[in-house]
Amino acid sequence: MMRLIVMGNEKGGSGKSTTAMHLITALVRAGHSVGALDLDLRQKSLFRYLDNRQDYMRRHGIQLPMPRRLLLEASTLDSRAEAEAEEESRFAAALVELAGADYVVVDCPGSYSTYSRLAHARADTLITPMNDSLVDFDMLARLDPASGAIRGPSVYSEMVWKARQARAASGRRPMDWVVLRNRMTMLDARNKRRVASALDELARRIGFRLIPGFSERVVFRELFLSGLTLLDLREADPQAMSMSNIAARQEVRDLVRALELPAVSVAA
């Protein structure tokens, strides 16, 4: 049965597309058929990443793991209700067309949209990357500036909560919500400790799993133009043999393991 993995939050620059691309590569390399949807209809960062990958393969005469991707378009209808209905129909049709895949990875925009709402409602695994800062924490919950206590969930967290309730009411398997801490620095800092403490408390209150993501490394930005991921670099490639890149590649493998996806294994 197809499993829908959604990269979602309502803030840009958190590493959704980079995480999606590395996860897609890991899944295909593990022998799974994978579909891809990019719901950021303006930026299309994930699909631009895949375009760069296709160009790299053409220039070097090689084949690399690729997903099957479908392009969705925004409705141009004037009526809001009719536009939403048309986009709901297009999204449902895309999932039907990708039904033969083991996994479908969906990259959502950093803002609310009809497509994003639909993806969250259907997500089997929801991955919410966030930069390791109190600015990004505000996307999940509101903090008291004086005490640091959690005042309440954010609008985004409430949307996820409603999606989980709807899944439970329909009898579908529960959504696995995973919050991913990206761009973590190696230095101990007061801000880092405050984020960790607040996330631990919020995870208990609203029910998500907290796992480490990717550290702040230049290589994640450098690979975009070539369309490569750390899992594509071979040991014969000098770029792959730096200590920083070896550590980064291990972070990718650790992330895939922590997601606990069915029938997915990665090499140590």
Side-chain angles (χ1 to χ4, degrees), residues 10-220:
E10 292 187 0
K11 186 180 184 303
S14 61
K16 291 191 298 294
S17 299
T18 298
T19 305
M21 188 65 192
H22 279 78
L23 180 56
I24 286 170
T25 303
L27 290 171
V28 178
R29 285 194 177 278
H32 296 282
S33 57
V34 180
L37 294 174
D38 191 342
L39 303 184
D40 190 342
L41 305 183
R42 185 177 179 85
Q43 296 290 340
K44 297 181 181 177
S45 296
L46 176 59
F47 279 8
R48 283 171 53 217
Y49 207 140
L50 289 167
D51 286 339
N52 293 342
R53 190 175 181 84
Q54 286 187 318
D55 184 62
Y56 183 91
M57 290 190 291
R58 179 187 57 79
R59 287 186 288 108
H60 292 269
I62 61 173
Q63 291 295 317
L64 293 170
M66 287 285 288
R68 181 189 177 197
R69 51 177 166 165
L70 291 181
L71 181 65
L72 289 174
E73 299 287 350
S75 173
T76 58
L77 296 177
D78 292 332
S79 166
R80 179 177 178 180
E82 291 178 355
E84 288 186 351
E86 183 174 55
E87 291 185 355
E88 287 178 5
S89 177
R90 290 176 178 178
F91 183 76
L95 293 187
V96 170
E97 191 166 347
L98 292 172
D102 299 322
Y103 290 91
V104 174
V105 178
V106 183
D107 193 18
C108 290
S111 59
Y112 177 84
S113 70
T114 298
Y115 280 136
S116 181
R117 173 179 60 79
L118 294 170
H120 281 72
R122 293 292 298 271
D124 297 301
T125 299
L126 172 61
I127 303 174
T128 301
M130 60 169 283
N131 294 333
D132 204 48
S133 73
L134 292 172
V135 174
D136 274 32
F137 183 87
D138 191 67
M139 177 264 302
L140 291 171
R142 294 174 286 110
L143 287 181
D144 185 289
S147 66
I150 297 173
R151 286 180 170 177
S154 66
V155 173
Y156 175 76
S157 293
E158 290 178 348
M159 181 183 73
V160 176
W161 179 254
K162 290 178 182 177
R164 297 174 88 175
Q165 287 182 313
R167 287 179 65 88
S170 66
R172 287 182 290 166
R173 58 191 174 197
M175 174 199 296
D176 182 20
W177 186 13
V178 179
V179 173
L180 186 70
R181 293 176 70 184
N182 272 340
R183 294 183 177 172
M184 295 183 67
T185 62
M186 302 302 176
L187 299 176
D188 186 31
R190 181 170 178 267
N191 177 78
K192 185 177 179 180
R193 294 193 300 271
R194 289 186 68 188
V195 171
S197 177
L199 281 172
D200 285 340
E201 180 183 349
L202 189 63
R204 292 190 296 270
R205 288 178 58 171
I206 64 177
F208 57 75
R209 292 196 294 128
L210 185 62
I211 65 175
F214 304 148
S215 302
E216 180 61 62
R217 300 182 192 274
V218 176
V219 67
F220 287 110

Side-chain angles (χ1 to χ4, degrees), residues 1 3 5 27 32 102-103 124-125 173 259-265:
M1 184 178 296
R3 190 174 185 92
I5 303 174
L27 290 171
H32 296 282
D102 299 322
Y103 290 91
D124 297 301
T125 299
R173 58 191 174 197
L259 289 176
E260 299 175 358
L261 299 172
V264 176
S265 61

